[in-house]
Amino acid sequence: MDHDVNHDDDYTVITNLALTFGYPTSFGTISREKWRRIPKDLCLHTSEEAAWLHVEQSNEKNITARDLVVTDIKVAEQNPGTDTDDLWESRSAGIWVRRSKYTGDNARTVTDIDVLFGVDAVIPRPQWSLVRPPLQLNARPDVPAAQISMRRGTAKSNPENPLPKLRVKKDGKFKVLQVSDTHMVTGVGVCDDAMDADGQPLPQSEADPLTVNFLGGVLDVEKPDLVVLTGDQLHHDILDTQSALFKVVAPLIERSIPYAAVFGNHDDEGRYALSREAQMSLLQNLPFNLSQPGPEEADGVGNYYLQVFAQAPSRVPLLTLFFLDSHGQIPSEVKDPDYDCIAQNQIDWFTSTSQELRKAREKNGDGEHNPLHLSLAFMHISLCEYADSDLILKGGHRGEPTEGPSFNSHFYDALAREGIAAVGCGHDHVNDFCAIRPQNDGSDMPEPGPWLCHGGGSGFGGYGSYDGKRYYRRMRVWEFNTTSGGLKTWKRVEYARERIDELVLMEGGNVSAVVASFNGVQD
């Protein structure tokens, strides 16, 4: 009897692998009914003749013990097996496929195949591995090389272990690392404006490895409870979104650090870039991700919130973090570049959600309520108020003019009314200040607040200079003290061993008294 393999789960196995050349619609001699084309040109659209990887797959329940399935893939100039090993089959581009009769052991069976690009490609997906070296294609030397990635075993619905609720530490503190504008690309990329420890210009170098090293170093020093990616994770016009996005999150996943992301104006720019929806889907299938697409009634992708709770088993939320899609560049006769603003339906979603959460806290089933609860908001493009000439600047500098929307949808007013403590933005790479608007006694806004803070650019693939002056890459740290209603922030900067521009933003759940009493402009 053929069906003598135990079928515990319903999943797909790979039974064969092939490579074809030609147009995207070309399957060569391969049957469309049995084969699936991986939708990535292996030459990254740089050659007159594209190359495509195809996989033949079958439902595991239809596989018999006599059927051959793929158990391994290698890339080599010669047969990677022994002289007597006839299980390795040669394919184009140096691919060798090992096929064996199916035993029902899905841990040994290849169940999915994908393609990544670049010598610095990483694979942060559980059960997946990279096949090195890259494929042997006649591509230009400056084109990031294609590498097969493969998964063994049955895909898990929840990567690794389901994340528990975000909770403060025993001392009541919770630390967030804001990482903005990493500007990863397909391949290593180029950096033209880095500096050495003495502030002297460095020659052109590979960008993304520098960014990965900088990020890893800050993670190891700060050991944050959460990382917030505030947009432009990717550079514009890159050729493979997945390869670049994986490089951003891999250092977080390796260290088991939860992370949440919003999108920037460049993340989905370009002919071959994945949409925001597709990128969110990728993130949601990775370990430690907390990013969410958000409600359909709010414009954009990535309007959501996270709550940070007291120590287990308490159900009391002590912090609320809001995330919003600040959209991208738009055609405009007012200024160039110009950007879309936070939409009214996003403002409505934020306001109603904030009020519902406040009511829920006040009616907590445990009878507990934390009067020192703090809320923050994160987005990529700064609000119009960041450009105000009378801002009180603290703990940083304005290295370039604020670049934001020309139309003010007054989201700041909604944030102020809802008592948001601070806003963390990216976008302007060499702006790294925190600022607050001066008290206006004639306004109905409960000012001072919220704080308006820039994270500063962290990626070496994005610009790090303005008007001829170079700046070090940097990241912003936010530390909450939920027992005292306190909020501090500082920056981690290249080469600096100590915290930079440490600033107390909130005390006792209110804006720092020193700042609240100051009504001038500080450079």
Side-chain angles (χ1 to χ4, degrees):
M1 185 175 180
D2 289 342
H3 291 272
D4 54 358
V5 174
N6 183 30
H7 303 277
D8 294 326
D9 298 297
D10 185 10
Y11 62 95
T12 299
V13 297
I14 305 301
T15 56
N16 209 342
L17 181 69
L19 190 144
T20 64
F21 297 88
Y23 294 105
T25 55
S26 173
F27 274 64
T29 59
I30 296 174
S31 169
R32 289 175 177 268
E33 288 73 25
K34 294 183 178 181
W35 292 74
R36 171 176 64 88
R37 179 177 64 83
I38 296 174
K40 294 185 178 184
D41 175 9
L42 302 180
C43 298
L44 287 175
H45 320 285
T46 61
S47 173
E48 293 183 1
E49 186 176 50
W52 307 94
L53 198 62
H54 302 259
V55 295
E56 184 184 48
Q57 57 190 31
S58 178
N59 190 291
E60 191 267 348
K61 289 186 176 180
N62 299 325
I63 298 292
T64 73
R66 295 188 303 178
D67 291 325
L68 295 177
V69 298
V70 176
T71 58
D72 202 1
I73 303 169
K74 293 185 181 295
V75 176
E77 294 184 1
Q78 298 179 341
N79 189 330
T82 63
D83 293 339
T84 58
D85 188 353
D86 60 354
L87 296 179
W88 288 98
E89 304 170 9
S90 177
R91 303 288 187 267
S92 301
I95 299 173
W96 292 85
V97 179
R98 185 184 179 98
R99 297 201 298 164
S100 308
K101 290 183 179 180
Y102 188 50
T103 63
D105 182 3
N106 60 39
R108 295 182 59 249
T109 306
V110 177
T111 55
D112 203 357
I113 290 176
D114 205 344
V115 177
L116 297 174
F117 296 87
V119 295
D120 60 338
V122 291
I123 186 75
R125 297 194 282 190
Q127 303 170 256
W128 286 76
S129 60
L130 274 173
V131 178
R132 300 186 189 275
L135 299 182
Q136 298 170 6
L137 297 164
N138 294 321
R140 298 196 325 242
D142 61 323
V143 176
Q147 300 189 65
I148 294 176
S149 63
M150 61 180 177
R151 184 187 70 204
R152 285 190 173 91
T154 309
K156 299 177 182 178
S157 57
N158 292 316
E160 296 296 323
N161 297 315
L163 279 173
K165 291 180 178 180
L166 293 174
R167 294 189 181 275
V168 300
K169 294 190 283 287
K170 291 183 178 180
D171 60 2
K173 293 182 178 180
F174 189 85
K175 185 186 292 185
V176 174
L177 175 64
Q178 179 187 349
V179 181
S180 193
D181 295 272
T182 52
H183 280 268
M184 295 288 195
V185 297
T186 312
V188 295
V190 175
C191 177
D192 291 314
D193 56 7
M195 295 186 292
D196 64 17
D198 297 320
Q200 297 302 308
L202 289 171
Q204 188 181 87
S205 58
E206 296 179 346
D208 288 1
L210 291 175
T211 303
V212 171
N213 288 339
F214 180 41
L215 174 57
V218 175
L219 292 172
D220 292 340
V221 169
E222 291 292 352
K223 295 178 172 55
D225 303 299
L226 174 70
V227 169
V228 174
L229 303 170
T230 46
D232 281 2
Q233 282 76 250
L234 313 181
H235 203 53
H236 58 81
D237 297 299
I238 63 175
L239 297 174
D240 185 62
T241 296
Q242 188 180 35
S243 297
L245 189 58
F246 280 1
K247 290 190 291 185
V248 178
V249 299
L252 317 179
I253 295 171
E254 290 168 2
R255 293 166 173 82
S256 302
I257 300 173
Y259 57 93
V262 294
F263 294 117
N265 52 297
H266 289 311
D267 283 312
D268 59 349
E269 279 186 342
R271 178 179 179 183
Y272 303 110
L274 290 181
S275 66
R276 278 161 148 77
E277 291 83 359
Q279 291 185 47
M280 182 61 73
S281 179
L282 278 177
L283 290 172
Q284 290 192 289
N285 283 285
L286 292 174
F288 304 104
N289 167 70
L290 296 176
S291 312
Q292 303 168 27
E296 293 184 0
E297 63 268 21
D299 285 3
V301 179
N303 302 295
Y304 60 102
Y305 70 90
L306 298 174
Q307 290 184 300
V308 181
F309 294 85
Q311 284 272 296
S314 174
R315 296 180 296 167
V316 176
L318 304 180
L319 305 170
T320 302
L321 308 177
F322 290 93
F323 304 84
L324 292 104
D325 186 345
S326 58
H327 314 296
Q329 192 170 337
I330 58 173
S332 173
E333 297 181 357
V334 179
K335 67 174 186 176
D336 184 25
D338 200 355
Y339 300 90
D340 207 353
C341 61
I342 299 294
Q344 186 59 50
N345 57 26
Q346 291 176 279
I347 299 174
D348 294 341
W349 166 80
F350 161 76
T351 301
S352 62
T353 301
S354 175
Q355 292 175 357
E356 289 171 3
L357 292 174
R358 182 183 300 109
K359 291 178 181 177
R361 292 195 300 271
E362 293 171 350
K363 297 179 180 179
N364 187 276
D366 293 338
E368 302 176 69
H369 172 55
N370 177 30
L372 301 179
H373 179 280
L374 292 177
S375 296
L376 260 70
F378 293 100
M379 64 197 74
H380 179 66
I381 299 175
S382 57
L383 303 172
C384 295
E385 286 75 10
Y386 275 73
D388 287 357
S389 60
D390 60 347
L391 280 181
I392 304 168
L393 299 187
K394 303 282 287 185
H397 302 87
R398 187 190 293 278
E400 62 180 308
T402 294
E403 193 176 85
S406 60
F407 178 76
N408 192 342
S409 61
H410 299 289
F411 183 41
Y412 175 91
D413 296 350
L415 293 167
R417 288 193 176 94
E418 289 304 309
I420 298 298
V423 181
C425 289
H427 191 54
D428 299 341
H429 296 193
V430 299
N431 285 339
D432 67 352
F433 60 81
C434 277
I436 200 162
R437 301 182 80 186
Q439 186 74 42
N440 183 357
D441 295 333
S443 170
D444 62 350
M445 293 295 102
E447 294 177 317
W451 283 93
L452 304 176
C453 296
H454 272 293
S458 66
F460 290 80
Y463 71 90
S465 58
Y466 185 82
D467 200 21
K469 182 179 179 180
R470 298 190 182 194
Y471 295 81
Y472 289 122
R473 270 66 180 183
R474 58 202 61 216
M475 302 175 190
R476 180 169 293 281
V477 181
W478 306 80
E479 186 179 68
F480 301 86
N481 188 330
T482 59
T483 60
S484 65
L487 172 60
K488 292 195 299 184
T489 186
W490 60 87
K491 295 187 290 287
R492 286 293 178 179
V493 181
E494 286 183 82
Y495 303 111
R497 294 187 177 184
E498 305 299 326
R499 301 174 178 180
I500 301 297
D501 294 331
E502 186 166 352
L503 179 65
V504 176
L505 303 180
M506 307 290 290
E507 295 176 308
N510 298 306
V511 172
S512 173
V514 174
V515 176
S517 63
F518 181 74
N519 199 32
V521 178
Q522 178 173 323
D523 292 327

